[in-house]
Amino acid sequence: AAPTDVQLQVQALERATMAAPLLGRAFAELARVYGLSQSGEKALPLIDRAVELEPEWADHCFEIKAGVLLTLNRYEDAMTAMRFAASLPHKDRATAELFERKMSAMARKIEDARREAEGLRAQQLRDPGMGLHTATRGVVNGNYALDWCGSITGRHAGWASSGMAGCLGIGTAF
């Protein structure tokens, strides 16, 4: 089978981090792509490395970290990372306002996912005959799995290739 776009991105960015080990943005982008490929745990140390190498890009790195944490269903940690990204100095007022909007959007998406997951749990309790598969479709470890746009996993077909248009902008190219 041919490798997917995400797999090709992982390969290219892994090569980039080896070729330019002092380029923090390459580490940050590799972390973002690991998050897309369901390798979020591998991504977190790369974000720390990116901030260490290029602290001037810390706001973007923490934005990526928020997205990775979101894919790991670590909602509170994701929100904390996004708040931190928004609180850091930005290059201009427009960027600061953008980060505020991204933080608000992430909070809404997390809350919506929590409400929907709770609704499914309540429905399962009311209807014990409902199959477990039906009741937990889209739920991972009791939580909805969100993509970085805040959509429930499974509704994000084409997301990786869409350039994240209309999304939170997490992982925006540097």
Side-chain angles (χ1 to χ4, degrees):
T4 66
D5 288 342
V6 173
Q7 290 169 332
L8 293 172
Q9 289 177 31
V10 166
Q11 293 168 3
L13 287 164
E14 285 174 342
R15 286 191 306 272
T17 58
M18 288 186 277
L22 298 178
L23 184 61
R25 286 175 277 182
F27 285 94
E29 285 301 309
L30 179 57
R32 180 187 61 79
V33 175
Y34 275 157
L36 290 173
S37 65
Q38 306 304 316
S39 300
E41 291 298 334
K42 288 171 60 175
L44 296 174
L46 295 175
I47 295 166
D48 295 337
R49 179 75 176 137
V51 171
E52 179 184 312
L53 292 170
E54 295 191 60
E56 66 274 18
W57 290 98
D59 55 348
H60 295 287
C61 293
F62 276 91
E63 178 185 16
I64 291 169
K65 184 174 188 172
V68 169
L69 291 166
L70 195 58
T71 65
L72 295 171
N73 298 321
R74 292 173 51 185
Y75 300 140
E76 295 305 318
D77 294 338
M79 199 62 224
T80 299
M82 194 65 216
R83 279 189 198 107
F84 187 71
S87 73
L88 291 170
H90 303 287
K91 66 179 181 177
D92 56 29
R93 183 177 172 94
T95 304
E97 290 170 356
L98 177 65
F99 271 85
E100 288 297 322
R101 287 192 305 273
K102 290 176 183 181
M103 185 175 65
S104 295
M106 181 175 284
R108 282 190 308 275
K109 297 296 183 179
I110 289 171
E111 187 57 34
D112 289 347
R114 285 183 177 159
R115 277 194 208 116
E116 198 166 342
E118 286 300 316
L120 279 177
R121 285 188 203 112
Q123 182 179 1
Q124 186 180 17
L125 290 173
R126 284 190 302 270
D127 186 5
M130 183 176 178
L132 181 62
H133 173 67
T134 304
T136 60
R137 186 176 44 231
V139 178
V140 177
N141 296 326
N143 294 311
Y144 266 101
L146 300 178
D147 68 21
W148 292 357
C149 298
S151 301
I152 305 297
T153 300
R155 293 186 196 165
H156 67 305
W159 175 77
S161 62
S162 71
M164 296 178 55
C167 297
L168 296 176
I170 295 173
T172 306
F174 293 105

